Amino acid sequence: MPLDMPTVFEHRVEFAGHATRALEVAGEGPGIVLLHGWSHSADTWRPLLVELAARERRAIAVDLPGFGAAPPLGPGAVLPQLDVFAAELVNAWAGGEPVVIAGASLGGCLALRLAENPGDLKLAGVVPVAPDGLEMPSWFDPIEEDPIVRRLLSMPVPVPGELIRRGKKGAHRRLAFSDAQRAVVDAFGVDGDTRADVAALLESGRKLAPELAHAPFDLVGIRCPVMLVWGAYDRMLPHTDARMALDSLPTTQVELIEGCGHQPQLEATGRLVELLLPFGR
């Protein structure tokens, strides 16, 4: 690592009874809490954390329960459990100071749910990046039905971990990324290398999809500033979903990043940093 590379501190934290991994950078506020999407981990934010550290902006990303190095969720509905975890994370880390919550996909949905019901949290604003929950989720079925994924799960013999990783990445990147940026998929954190890991991940998606399909938040109840960010070539959650948000929140800011798919934090890191830095100040 170059000597002048900003430091991302990796450590263990515990919120709402879930011991998990955090990636954190020091700096000034308002602090930025970064929530990842389904099947991902805090690592999806690592390039952006490096950029924020270079600009001396305080930020944290964690593995949400059920993903990355975090323990599994308990039985029952998924979103309420993630809500409790995210609220405790923000409250503990913010230390009573205003924060910005940025979330990608599922993380964007959680950010909007926190903005709707902030409790005592001091939210300087939320930045949902292609958030789930605006319309019927369409990302899960194509991944579950991908022929490579289905074949790997149905094989009667043990499957090498490398094949599992390739199958997962291939199924996801056909949906998530613009053609010009698919190579960055290798930057994803991997939840697991075994067939059982993939099967457990798909089961979590089956539980989550119906919750996202039934109005997981009420935009009318949100009072803090909102900036919606989309990649222009997002095929998992297309930016046409922004129309619903604009109808409910006419003062919402919408930013469209050209040449980018479903993962602006990886495909257009610099542009997303430019959008985040002034927001909430």
Side-chain angles (χ1 to χ4, degrees), residues 239-255:
H239 61 81
T240 51
D241 287 2
R243 294 172 186 167
M244 181 180 295
L246 290 175
D247 289 343
S248 301
L249 295 168
T251 59
T252 297
Q253 180 181 349
V254 176
E255 296 288 344

Side-chain angles (χ1 to χ4, degrees), residues 109-169:
C109 175
L110 295 177
L112 288 168
R113 285 168 66 89
L114 279 177
E116 181 190 356
N117 298 291
D120 295 329
L121 300 178
K122 295 180 180 179
L123 300 185
V126 295
V127 183
V129 181
D132 274 314
L134 290 174
E135 292 186 1
M136 183 73 71
S138 58
W139 48 263
F140 179 67
D141 287 347
I143 293 175
E144 184 176 40
E145 295 170 2
D146 183 86
I148 297 176
V149 173
R150 291 175 67 88
R151 183 166 179 78
L152 289 174
L153 291 176
S154 66
M155 285 182 177
V157 296
V159 181
E162 179 60 25
L163 289 181
I164 293 287
R165 287 192 293 272
R166 290 180 184 177
K168 288 170 61 181
K169 289 178 181 178

Side-chain angles (χ1 to χ4, degrees), residues 175-202:
L175 278 171
F177 293 93
S178 66
D179 290 339
Q181 299 290 345
R182 286 181 178 174
V184 297
V185 74
D186 291 329
F188 275 163
V190 179
D191 280 13
D193 297 341
T194 71
R195 186 163 46 192
D197 292 326
V198 178
L201 183 64
L202 293 178

Side-chain angles (χ1 to χ4, degrees), residues 66-126:
F67 306 103
L73 289 165
V78 173
L79 288 178
Q81 296 183 69
L82 294 177
D83 289 339
V84 172
F85 175 87
E88 189 168 312
L89 158 66
V90 174
N91 185 58
W93 187 75
E97 297 297 321
V99 296
V100 172
I101 304 176
S105 197
L106 170 60
C109 175
L110 295 177
L112 288 168
R113 285 168 66 89
L114 279 177
E116 181 190 356
N117 298 291
D120 295 329
L121 300 178
K122 295 180 180 179
L123 300 185
V126 295

Side-chain angles (χ1 to χ4, degrees), residues 22-48:
L23 303 178
E24 189 169 357
V25 295
E28 301 298 322
I32 302 176
V33 177
L34 302 166
L35 304 175
H36 65 77
W38 179 81
S39 85
H40 299 159
S41 72
D43 288 312
T44 193
W45 296 108
R46 192 179 287 271
L48 189 136

